[in-house]
Amino acid sequence: MALKQDKELKLYYSIREVAEMFGVNESLLRYWETQFPMIIPKKTSGKVRQYTKEDIDNVRLVYFLVKEKKMTLAGAKLQLKQNKESVRNTVEILEHLNSIKEELIKMRKELDYLT
């Protein structure tokens, strides 16, 4: 748990860390940068990408639309252009529901262990 808290305190994340968060290749993130202008990681003088929490949140929206909802890139762009806030709310609700589900599964396993 402490490791997760340390990660939340970071200001910048490498492309490798972000790729691991979403289970995608670094090349896909670089491609999404070219397709979605809202994903704009800072680049150091050595061209090393540094993603902020805001960049990661934007990647999360694109990931949700493209990978989970199976939208085309054009469809995802249109959805984000027309109603980005609605997409953001949907992603937040789904993440919250998934965390509740995980907690319930954990509780059930503990109860099964006790009986």
Side-chain angles (χ1 to χ4, degrees):
M1 187 70 171
L3 180 62
K4 185 175 182 178
Q5 289 173 343
D6 291 343
K7 288 271 189 189
E8 291 173 0
L9 296 175
K10 287 180 69 170
L11 293 177
Y12 297 105
Y13 297 82
S14 70
I15 192 169
R16 175 176 290 151
E17 289 173 310
V18 177
E20 287 175 2
M21 285 178 198
F22 294 97
V24 299
N25 292 324
E26 295 173 22
S27 60
L28 180 61
L29 291 177
R30 287 190 293 272
Y31 179 67
W32 282 354
E33 288 175 28
T34 67
Q35 299 300 304
F36 297 91
M38 62 190 208
I39 302 173
I40 46 171
K42 178 182 169 188
K43 293 181 184 171
T44 64
S45 57
K47 303 285 184 181
V48 175
R49 288 168 169 79
Q50 296 180 322
Y51 288 79
T52 63
K53 183 179 178 335
E54 182 180 347
D55 292 320
I56 294 169
D57 288 343
N58 288 328
V59 169
R60 183 173 284 111
L61 298 179
V62 172
Y63 180 89
F64 171 73
L65 293 173
V66 174
K67 295 294 189 179
E68 293 181 13
K69 299 265 304 190
K70 306 294 185 197
M71 295 180 83
T72 63
L73 292 181
K77 285 180 197 177
L78 183 62
Q79 185 73 20
L80 289 169
K81 183 178 180 183
Q82 291 178 342
N83 210 349
K84 183 178 179 181
E85 203 54 41
S86 176
V87 174
R88 185 183 314 279
N89 290 338
T90 300
V91 169
E92 287 175 5
I93 290 168
L94 288 173
E95 286 178 347
H96 186 65
L97 288 173
N98 281 330
S99 69
I100 291 170
K101 178 182 174 183
E102 289 173 10
E103 188 64 30
L104 289 171
I105 290 169
K106 181 180 167 186
M107 290 169 68
R108 183 175 182 187
K109 287 180 181 178
E110 289 176 8
L111 286 172
D112 287 346
Y113 177 75
L114 294 174
T115 57

